[in-house]
Amino acid sequence: MNLRLLVPTIVGAIMGVALAASPALAKKKEPVTTAPVAALPTAIDTDITREPENVLLLDLSDGGRVAIRLMPQWAPAHVARIKELTQQGFYNGVVFHRVIDGFMAQTGDPTGTGQSGSKLPDLKAEFNAMPHLRGTVSMARTNDPDSANSQFFIVFYPRFALDHKYTVFGRVISGMQYVDAIQRGEPPANPTRVLQASLASQQKTAPPAPVSAAAPVSAAQLNTSKSD
């Protein structure tokens, strides 16, 4: 996730100041009015039973269910996309392909490479004022602000440098300990998978976690006889 400096904007601002200071170009100042900006709700409802259609459930291969409160008030188009893909079963079986300790866990690419997404068109950015706190769920993208599609990441620890540059659309409300246990790596050697993604309103039960392959048993271990 590369961050870009808005150099053209800075240059334009400097030139604008220079022109405004020129007596020959001075103009009568007109009163400036700004439209009021509606404050985004910051409170997160942790009750899964309330508005279950806006609760994303991730059942992980390492065991455990993660519940994420989706916030359409923050990013309506992104929440709608996550819900659409979830209901299609798009995220079932997808791995966490990029997991950086102390930073975040990223998933949502069916190829597991980080280079792909869904067949749906990319989304226009909905950057908002929500900070990237522990448990924040935000949309991944390329250097193009309007390139988010299906990949998203969950933040382990606060990363405020991402604020206003990536679209925050939800927050983990339970099961963060299972997020902490996601296998690390870029990509991980044995990646954690999303066995099932669903909305709480679908009332789907969690699938059984995969059984680890048992270690081979030797003939000596099977022999329980004792010699005299």
Side-chain angles (χ1 to χ4, degrees):
M1 296 180 287
N2 296 324
L3 305 182
R4 300 190 301 167
L5 295 176
L6 302 181
V7 177
T9 302
I10 297 173
V11 173
I14 295 173
M15 293 183 65
V17 171
L19 290 174
S22 172
L25 298 176
K27 295 181 179 180
K28 181 180 179 181
K29 292 183 179 180
E30 299 292 338
V32 177
T33 58
T34 57
V37 178
L40 295 177
T42 58
I44 306 296
D45 191 346
T46 60
D47 188 342
I48 296 176
T49 65
R50 287 198 287 266
E51 294 188 32
E53 70 279 6
N54 284 323
V55 176
L56 174 66
L57 302 176
L58 303 179
D59 296 305
L60 306 184
S61 60
D62 289 347
R65 168 171 276 189
V66 179
I68 297 168
R69 172 65 66 182
L70 303 175
M71 297 294 291
Q73 305 94 322
W74 298 351
H78 285 68
V79 168
R81 170 62 57 84
I82 293 294
K83 292 168 70 170
E84 180 179 1
L85 293 176
T86 296
Q87 291 171 318
Q88 290 177 3
F90 176 85
Y91 292 114
N92 297 346
V94 172
V95 303
F96 281 87
H97 63 272
R98 183 168 182 253
V99 186
I100 303 175
D101 197 28
F103 182 15
M104 59 89 212
Q106 185 171 330
T107 187
D109 176 7
T111 69
T113 64
Q115 302 298 315
S116 185
S118 75
K119 295 181 180 180
L120 298 175
D122 291 345
L123 294 165
K124 184 174 178 59
E126 293 179 304
F127 300 154
N128 51 59
M130 294 303 105
H132 285 77
L133 305 171
R134 172 172 165 79
T136 289
V137 188
S138 192
M139 212 69 172
R141 63 173 179 82
T142 67
N143 287 336
D144 179 359
D146 300 329
S147 60
N149 186 284
S150 65
Q151 294 187 44
F152 61 89
F153 59 94
I154 305 173
V155 180
F156 291 129
Y157 294 102
R159 282 297 180 105
F160 301 127
L162 304 180
D163 294 355
H164 307 288
K165 300 179 179 72
Y166 296 86
T167 299
V168 176
F169 65 88
R171 185 86 53 79
V172 173
I173 57 175
S174 71
M176 191 63 194
Q177 69 271 30
Y178 304 121
V179 176
D180 290 334
I182 292 173
Q183 299 296 310
R184 269 56 168 173
E186 300 182 70
N190 184 28
T192 301
R193 292 181 176 273
V194 177
L195 295 180
Q196 175 181 271
S198 64
L199 300 176
S201 57
Q202 295 177 289
Q203 299 183 340
K204 291 188 176 182
T205 57
V211 178
S212 300
V217 180
S218 67
Q221 290 172 313
L222 292 173
N223 184 5
T224 58
S225 63
K226 295 181 180 180
S227 58
D228 295 332

